[in-house]
Amino acid sequence: MQDTQPIHDLTQLDHTRYKSWPFNQDICLTCALCASACPASGIDALDPRSLVRQVGYGLEDALVAERWPWICTMCAKCEHVCPMDIQIADMVRNLRGLRDRQNVPGILQQGLEAALETGNNLRLPQEDFVFIVEDVGEELAEEAGFENFKVALDKDGANLLTTIHNKLVNTHTEDLKHFWKIFHAAGESWTLPTDNWEGTNWGYFTGDDEAMKTMVGRIVANLDKLNITHLLLPE
Amino acid sequence: MLSVFDLLIDYIKTGKIKLDKSRVKDKITYHDPCNYARKAEMRLGYGYYDEPRWILDQCVDNWVEMYPTRDHQLCCGGGGGTLTNGYNKERIQYGRLKMEQIKATGAQMVVTPCHGCHGQLNSIKKEYGMAELEVKYLWELVADCLVI
């Protein structure tokens, strides 16, 4: 009651809140507030109430084969209004995770496998990554006010380790510069690792907790290796 | 670990960076990404609603809220891997309410601190006759306002 301060201390977080408890779906009152709140209701006949009821009826196999869990973005509008606090977004993610890996739609599984095998979704070799970021860094150094700018790679003891969304070293390299400009102006001691720099974690999308742990573990290993205490993960 | 918001607020409050509020003239609106806002609040106990708005206040005078907003904000349709799962027709349809929300504000620019939202909004704007809408990362707006 007295604890009304915003939670910034991560040690206060209760990680059991990530887990749906068994038979969560069975307390559904069928009120359909979820269906009314969902921005995707009606797309491909998607109906979150129906999804919850189907899980309750044991029609899990049909849902695993359905397109619904993949059209849903897991935005949690549904459970935000649910009077019974059913964790519908997690239910959707669990359904995604139950699908055979070769039937995960689009490029999600290929990207994830690439990340697990090579450290990034693009299978971008380390020398190509270094070439791209240094090239963009040299471009920035040509702008007025950023003459001394240099990309800090694998800097031991930096204040801040940053990760990169793979599209920033692929089709959107200009977007690398915004944070670099801010770091430069702030005089920040920052660095970018030359391996395991991937900031996305597609195991989140495919419902693969083990893959997520591996990706997060590599970021933590980079923090340890470079003796850095702060991680900035703008993803 | 720190959030992008905490870091930018620290830079501004301690004077490490200075921002010029007169530079960006466009009318701006702000999109709350599900994972920093509603979902962070529900899963982690804290949603970043006020921090990005404070940062916007340091960059510009002319910004407006969408309706609904904050924890009731509508998802853009680009989350959960939908930009890469191949269901593009469905993803574009998903974004219709979001684009109507933005259109109703009369803003020329939408600012968001999420790679997924940024990609989705840019990808679908032309589908809804809003090709001129500028989509910016929150940190891009900050970089644009930097006094060097």
Side-chain angles (χ1 to χ4, degrees), chain A residues 6 13 17-18 67 70 73-75 77 79-80 90 96 106-108 167 178-179 185 188 204-205 234, chain B residues 2 11 16 34 38-39 42-44 46 71-72 75 79-81 84-85 87 90 94 115 137 139-140:
Chain A
L13 296 178
R17 287 173 65 166
Y18 279 115
R67 287 147 40 98
W70 306 90
T73 58
M74 305 182 284
C75 80
K77 272 285 272 191
E79 55 178 88
H80 184 246
D90 285 0
R96 289 185 180 201
I107 58 166
L108 286 173
K167 72 179 174 183
H178 315 309
F179 254 114
E188 182 63 86
Y204 175 61
F205 301 149
Chain B
L2 68 160
Y11 287 164
K16 286 182 184 164
C34 305
R38 175 174 54 248
K39 247 185 136 171
M42 294 172 68
R43 292 289 190 274
L44 306 173
Y46 188 80
D71 55 328
H72 293 288
C75 170
T84 42
N85 71 14
Y87 293 152
E90 292 80 0
Y94 193 131
H115 284 289
Y137 296 107
W139 47 86
E140 181 179 5

Side-chain angles (χ1 to χ4, degrees), chain A residues 29-83:
Chain A
L29 301 174
T30 72
C31 69
L33 282 176
C34 54
S36 297
C38 172
S41 268
I43 301 174
D44 199 30
L46 196 158
D47 176 353
R49 177 175 68 164
S50 171
L51 184 138
V52 172
R53 297 303 289 151
Q54 286 186 57
V55 172
Y57 288 144
L59 302 172
E60 194 178 270
D61 290 349
L63 282 171
V64 170
E66 253 286 352
R67 287 147 40 98
W68 287 2
W70 306 90
I71 292 169
C72 164
T73 58
M74 305 182 284
C75 80
K77 272 285 272 191
C78 50
E79 55 178 88
H80 184 246
V81 297
C82 177

Side-chain angles (χ1 to χ4, degrees), chain B residues 26-75:
Chain B
D26 284 357
K27 187 176 178 183
I28 291 174
T29 190
Y30 177 73
H31 168 68
D32 293 276
C34 305
N35 286 314
Y36 276 131
R38 175 174 54 248
K39 247 185 136 171
E41 184 179 9
M42 294 172 68
R43 292 289 190 274
L44 306 173
Y46 188 80
Y48 283 90
Y49 301 112
D50 294 328
E51 291 84 351
R53 286 167 172 79
W54 185 86
I55 295 166
L56 273 175
D57 282 337
Q58 313 314 307
C59 294
V60 290
D61 286 318
N62 193 19
W63 79 270
V64 290
E65 289 279 7
M66 288 183 211
Y67 179 82
T69 186
R70 295 173 69 97
D71 55 328
H72 293 288
Q73 186 76 254
L74 298 176
C75 170

